[in-house]
Amino acid sequence: MPFLIVRSGPRAGERIELVGELVVGRENADVTVSDEEVSRRHLAVRPHEDGVELEDLESTNGTFVDGARLSAVVVVSSSARVILGETELEIEVDEPEPRFDPSATRFRERDATIIAPAPRRSSPTAAVRAQPFGSLTPAAPSRGRSATRQWSAAGIALLVFAATAMALIVYFVAR
C-alpha cells in the first residue's frame, strides 16, 4: 500500500495511507498544509496500479517531483520526493514483486539472478538468421589439413584405448 509522508512543516512525520484520491493544499483539501507558497488546492495524489499518480492542480508556484517541475500527470512507481512551496513530502511506494516471462532465460551470477527476455521470432527464416553461431548444418568434408587434425584427436583416443586393452590382456595372461 502506498503512503504519503510529510517531511517538513507543522505536520512533519505524519504518514498517510493512500486508499483513494487525496488533495494536498492550503485550504479545503484532504491534507492541509500551512505554507503560504502552497495553493488552496495544489496537488492530487491517487493510488495507481503501477504506483502513485501525481497531478498538479494548476498551482501558482508549481509542484516538483525529484527536482523536476511537474507539467503533466505522472505515475511514480518507486519512492519520490515532492516539493510544494516550502513543504517537502515523500511518496512511499511498495516495490512490487518482479514480473518475469516464464520463457525467459535466467543467468545466475553468485547471489543474483538476472532475467533476460526470450528472443522474439518473426518468421521461420528469422529463426535461422537469429542463431548466434550460424546454422547447425554439418560442414562439408574437406580434404585439407583440418580434416586430418579432426581425426588425429579421435585416432589418439582410439590408440590409447587399444593400448590399455592390450596391457590389460598381457597382465592377466601373465598371471
Side-chain angles (χ1 to χ4, degrees), residues 126-148:
V128 173
R129 280 183 265 134
Q131 292 177 355
F133 302 109
S135 72
L136 298 176
T137 56
S142 65
R143 303 210 184 266
R145 204 169 167 171
S146 62
T148 310

Side-chain angles (χ1 to χ4, degrees), residues 43-46 48 51-56 63 65 68-77 80 82:
L43 173 71
V45 182
R46 300 176 196 96
H48 188 274
V52 175
E53 184 178 278
L54 303 173
E55 178 183 6
D56 185 87
T63 302
V65 179
R69 187 173 183 140
L70 193 62
S71 59
V73 176
V74 67
V75 175
V76 177
S77 59
V82 180

Side-chain angles (χ1 to χ4, degrees), residues 46-143:
R46 300 176 196 96
H48 188 274
E49 65 185 36
D50 294 328
V52 175
E53 184 178 278
L54 303 173
E55 178 183 6
D56 185 87
L57 300 175
E58 299 177 10
S59 65
T60 304
N61 294 321
T63 302
F64 296 83
V65 179
D66 289 333
R69 187 173 183 140
L70 193 62
S71 59
V73 176
V74 67
V75 175
V76 177
S77 59
S78 62
S79 297
R81 192 175 119 221
V82 180
I83 304 289
L84 318 168
E86 296 292 321
T87 303
E88 182 178 340
L89 306 173
E90 182 180 344
I91 305 296
E92 185 179 276
V93 179
D94 292 334
E95 298 290 328
E97 288 294 320
R99 298 181 207 158
F100 65 92
D101 181 4
S103 67
T105 303
R106 296 183 190 195
F107 300 99
R108 293 216 182 264
E109 188 174 330
R110 293 189 182 159
D111 295 333
T113 299
I114 303 166
I115 300 174
R120 303 206 187 281
R121 295 185 178 159
S122 57
S123 68
T125 57
V128 173
R129 280 183 265 134
Q131 292 177 355
F133 302 109
S135 72
L136 298 176
T137 56
S142 65
R143 303 210 184 266

